[in-house]
Amino acid sequence: MAAPDPSPRTPRDPALGFPPPGEVLHRLRTHKGMSLRQVAAECGLSVSFLAALERGETDIALERLGRIAKVFDHDVGSFLGFSRGPATPSLFPRAKQEILNRAPGVVYRVLRAPELGYQVVTGDFAPHSGLTEDLQHEGSDFITVTRGTLVARYNGVDHELHAGDCIQWSAGHPHGFRNETDAPAQMVVVLFSSLY
């Protein structure tokens, strides 16, 4: 009896509950600027297999998936989106955080988490200090004041924020911060774009 003709690959069932591994591979690989050949060299799989995986023409065994995930500092779960990052925590020691002196009396500390697509900035404001120019960039920002009082100016309107207050906005409009008080102030900003 002759074997049946192979049928075209059926569309992937979204009810499986995880993204196509080839799509994840392509996204992470292009984000890091890696070629298929570079990924293949690091994980020990063939370029042709990785190319077929990206095109959705083949499935992948769990161990092979783990080898690919490791190239991007993920485990299988975080690679497929079941957790927000690797199974081990990412540690950002204060001494290794990038320091930016944004204006007199204003110091930013920048934490980068490129695999997650955002940056976290801690801003310390001395009394009566502030940014000297408005910021404007892609993405959106989520800001919380962790100490003192800050004025957040957004698109020409001032918003007074006290410790514990939060504000979110589209970062494409002019915005800035200042401390008008006699006490230090601090904010933490999550930038959903790469600014620093």
Side-chain angles (χ1 to χ4, degrees):
M1 176 189 251
D5 291 336
S7 60
R9 185 168 174 83
T10 56
R12 190 171 178 288
D13 181 0
L16 291 175
F18 59 90
E23 289 181 12
V24 177
L25 167 60
H26 180 75
R27 179 171 39 83
L28 292 175
R29 179 177 69 77
T30 54
H31 180 76
K32 286 187 85 170
M34 295 179 75
S35 68
L36 282 173
R37 188 172 304 283
Q38 289 171 308
V39 175
E42 289 196 36
C43 71
L45 300 172
S46 72
V47 173
S48 60
F49 172 77
L50 294 176
L53 182 66
E54 282 196 358
R55 291 190 303 267
E57 296 172 355
T58 188
D59 288 329
I60 185 167
L62 197 55
E63 181 165 330
R64 285 181 166 193
L65 186 60
R67 288 162 58 186
I68 294 172
K70 189 175 178 183
V71 171
F72 302 99
D73 298 318
H74 280 274
D75 58 26
V76 171
S78 64
F79 183 84
L80 293 175
F82 292 109
S83 60
R84 295 291 296 162
T88 56
S90 298
L91 180 63
F92 302 94
R94 184 173 174 83
K96 293 187 177 179
Q97 297 168 18
E98 183 178 354
I99 298 173
L100 300 173
N101 292 302
R102 293 289 288 130
V106 179
V107 177
Y108 279 11
R109 290 182 178 273
V110 180
L111 307 177
R112 290 183 177 82
E115 70 278 6
L116 301 180
Y118 63 81
Q119 293 180 328
V120 178
V121 175
T122 303
D124 288 296
F125 290 75
H128 304 285
S129 67
L131 298 180
T132 54
E133 60 186 38
D134 282 338
L135 303 173
Q136 214 169 341
H137 55 90
E138 292 180 11
S140 60
D141 299 340
F142 178 84
I143 302 103
T144 184
V145 174
T146 53
R147 184 176 68 221
T149 301
L150 283 173
V151 175
R153 185 169 184 81
Y154 181 74
N155 214 16
V157 178
D158 286 347
H159 304 273
E160 188 172 277
L161 304 174
H162 304 276
D165 291 344
C166 303
I167 194 167
Q168 184 275 330
W169 56 48
S170 171
H173 295 282
H175 56 278
F177 306 94
R178 65 185 187 275
N179 178 3
E180 297 180 336
T181 73
D182 294 329
Q186 184 180 68
M187 68 177 183
V188 175
V189 183
V190 180
L191 296 93
F192 295 95
S193 61
S194 294
L195 179 59
Y196 299 103

